[in-house]
Amino acid sequence: MSTDTSTKAPTLQTLPGDDVRQIMWRFAERYDLQMVVQSARGVARGPVARLVAAGGRNSHEWTEGKNDLLSSFDESGITALFMDPEDGGYIEGPKNLALALTAFELAWVDAGSATSSLASNLALAPIHERGTPEQRHYYMSRCVPPKPGENRKTWRGSFALTEPLPYVGVDTSVLSGRVRIADWKEGSEPTIQVEKRGRFITGMGFANFVTAAVESDDPRIKGSCMVILEETDEGIYDRGVPTKKLVHQLSSTRDPIFNMKVPAHRIIGGYTIKDGVIVPNFSHGEVIEAVFRRTRTTVGLMTSAKLLSAVEPVIRYQRSRFRGGANATPGTPRFDQGLQQKEDALHRLIDIWATGEASASLGFATARLFDDFDTIEKRKDAYCTEHGLKGRAQLRAFQKVQAEAMELIRLESATRGTTPDSKTMGRIEELRSNTLVQYMVTDSLAQVLCPATKLWNTGYGATTMREAVSLMGGYGITEDCPGFLGHKWMDAQLEATYEGPEAVQRRQLSVTMTNELFLEQFKLWTTEMRKTASQYPGTGACTLATAMDTWSWTLDHLQNAKDANGKALYHGQRHGVAFAMADALCWLLASRQQILDTLELREKGAQNPVLAENLDGYVNFFTDLCHVQAARAAGEVGRVCAELVYGYNRHPSWNDPEATEECYKADVFDALEEAVAGIGSCARGQCDVIECDGSHSEKAGPCVKAFAIEAFAKRRMKLDGCLTGARLAKDRAAQAVAQVMIPEALDYPV
Amino acid sequence: MSGLQIVVCGSLVPDPLQTLEPATTPTGPGLKNELMLPAVLDPWAGHALYEAANLAKSHPGTKVYLVSVGPKAKLQQLMMNIAQKVPFELVAVDASASGFTDPFEVASALAGAIEKIPGLDRSRLLLFGGCSSASRDAGVTLQLVGEKLGITDQFLGVDELQLQGDGSFKVYERIEGGQYQVSTCQSAPAVLGWATGKLPIPPNNPQVGMQNMRAIMPALQKAAAVKVGAEGVTYDKVEVPNQRRETQIKKDLSVDEIARELVEWIRN
């Protein structure tokens, strides 16, 4: 029997469990969500894991085994999770975090199962967000599994938005479906004819209804809309052939064909008739925007789950790598530590873990934000309806309160952690009670955090997942690799594409991140990070603050600067600039949220008696991970910003008189040589010199003199200096991983 | 028989998949990082709970209680899973759930908690629990609880309970050789220490959990702190049972040869 020395060394003793995660991801007070997590976990590590292990992914067809998962989702409450209590659900209010946690748990084992469980929600989401009350209740209640005594089957849906065939995607500006009037007798409801061919439509193998995006092909219908098609409607409801996708094989995807007649009340959100024309209340773009801004976060978290799920299998593999070999006898470091004797193996694992933490932190923060946002948006919609604010009138109303929204942001930041005087508090309350102000502030964040989660979590996540696979050697790309890491790596690529590929997210970010309400909050976050750093220097918050400041300066510079050809640097079509800045921002947002979650654990963990014993160990380890990630983010931001700030200037040339004018002339040094011996050779080593015969050192041209962007150069230099200590943090984290206690075996498949 | 009151005794044990390494702690023997290890409901007690819930489902008016001795915060975490499986009411006792506590002390805490259940009718009481435990198998706790409550009809290693219409019930207890000893008990109260039972683990359902949690959270909040331990007991040595895996692959072995090897292995 050994002596427990865990209290002597405050470092990571065991892998973080539910107590830790509930605090970090802020659902320690929500037992409904904690149960949802356990429920989803039971399905993921039970039936889902067994199906994957049995080779269930090796078919494009919707097999019996895959279909059985739907029953597991029904029995475990996953299916009903999306519904409101009045329709048979069991969680009141917004469910973004609940759905995010469920997807995370399922994707921990297999993201295809997560997609499968979410597909019906995606079909329902247009109805939930923009449907009429009647549509909402009709479809939502039918998609809830029957209660004991009820004799009906659970309806399931698919969401069909497809660019022209044969391509796959969700560019809302390009539609392939058409709608026209089939029959419209005077005094009765019109019947519409819907034609749509879908591609890569999830859930299509079993969907009882489809929410399809279509464009008008008839002057009597205006614009576009989304329509609900049921399998029993008149016409063709052909599920099509299975899509030969290579990933997410536990979800059903097919290429369906529809040609159906349905009553016009199937238009989602209803319609009005104006001058003999059907005007849908919502275009397909409006519906989809409301849907995707929520569901994309969930997809982002699927990749986070993959990264964090890789930690335990990789540690186990590393430790047991040499066991069974001739030179690895029990008791030797080779036997006990295996590959973990090597720094590289540990450091790379730390990179994966840190990325996973940051992406999960960002994703869950976004999901929580959308829970708040849902409520605010509903209030905003009610307000606008009440005051007749639509279209441009609504935009004007928002513009009017822009200054007040900015004031609220500043006041809230200035008073955070203090007790403001009654006048200030009164003003804050007044601003908070203004629905439009609240909406604008929250919306400015939601419009950034959602695409950032989707873009960074999946895009960089997929790259990092490859690292995880590579750490398992050849084992990583076998079907029986513990943790199914090879599958997960491939699946991550689809997550980077689902519901809008990376370019779509970058495009959105490049616009929304320049919203001055967001930028003001970002500036205040920078100050907050600096304050955090003064209290907790090891978090990397100072490094991050410097990187945030560099990013802000660079954005401002790019918005005002021109390139060597006199063209504006920052605008929507200049993807080389705007998209790169969007990428850089994501790193910062993820790292910031990771630090905030670690601070939350530090603060709230002590209240949990289970954690109290080793809280310092967890906090120290997570703090080191934060530092590692902050340094990585700072490095990325520094690289991107430097490329953009310098990269669009033309390099000075030896042939350019203006550039050579700045160079020293050799005859000047020659004249000074008598007074200051050696000045000539010294100067030639330090700066550009034109020799008397016009020759010069062999390089592209005189070095850049960046007087105009000196502020950037200073920031960049500071940023590099701010990396101090980051590698020490990585070493500490690596040591912790080398000794952390892990379970005897992975808990799936069992 | 209808309207039973089934009290299931059961608490948490470290997840058996975890590394369970004995360690000396300031309070005596324990497991390394025990508090931080994920916990599960003791599997034997789990079988008892699911059997109890199944009986309750088919016998209207039956109420199921789960009486658990364990650290409150760990119990709460456990409930997030177990409370979703079947309907029950929790009676929590805030105390150590270590495998190194004395069964007598644990039994006293359990009996004390059971006695305080309001309106408990002992003439309708079936006391359920595991016939064994995954934490440290003393295998006597449930019997001691029964004795303390004055329940002398006790059955151990139960796999099946058949309620008869006249209030009696038939009990199938495991005995050697895959056989059952079948007894008929005239009426409650009785103690039933379950083996595995015959039911699968019910799937989680958050809707069931939400119902249960309305009573479980208050029960956890008011859980009385009780000291259970092993005062005066000295452990000379604590170790995890050795795992032996000596797999050999032999083809075309005759039945006699296999039998001979088995006998030899048992003798050794």
Side-chain angles (χ1 to χ4, degrees), chain B residues 71-154:
Chain B
K72 205 156 67 167
K74 294 286 281 185
L75 278 177
Q76 182 175 328
Q77 207 62 256
L78 178 71
M79 287 304 127
M80 295 309 154
N81 192 8
I82 297 304
Q84 298 189 57
K85 295 187 178 296
V86 292
F88 63 85
E89 197 171 295
L90 177 73
V91 177
V93 179
D94 187 14
S96 168
S98 162
F100 298 97
T101 49
D102 187 296
F104 184 81
E105 291 189 26
V106 178
S108 301
L110 283 167
I114 293 168
E115 280 171 336
K116 286 182 195 151
I117 294 175
L120 190 70
D121 178 0
R122 293 208 191 178
S123 68
R124 295 191 290 146
L125 174 63
L126 291 182
L127 184 66
F128 279 21
C131 70
S132 193
S133 167
S135 63
R136 190 174 62 89
D137 196 2
V140 295
T141 310
L142 192 65
Q143 296 94 309
L144 289 170
V145 178
E147 289 296 330
K148 281 182 172 290
L149 295 174
I151 306 172
T152 50
D153 285 332
Q154 303 200 352

Side-chain angles (χ1 to χ4, degrees), chain A residues 271-286:
Chain A
Y271 60 93
T272 45
I273 296 176
K274 204 172 170 186
D275 303 327
V277 173
I278 292 178
V279 183
N281 291 341
F282 298 101
S283 70
H284 85 286
E286 286 169 323

Side-chain angles (χ1 to χ4, degrees), chain A residues 117-146:
Chain A
S117 85
L118 292 169
S120 213
N121 298 346
L122 190 59
L124 282 171
I127 302 170
H128 184 261
E129 298 305 325
R130 291 288 178 256
T132 63
E134 295 76 21
Q135 288 171 341
R136 260 202 297 274
H137 181 68
Y138 185 85
Y139 289 99
M140 304 278 285
S141 59
R142 275 161 180 74
C143 289
V144 172

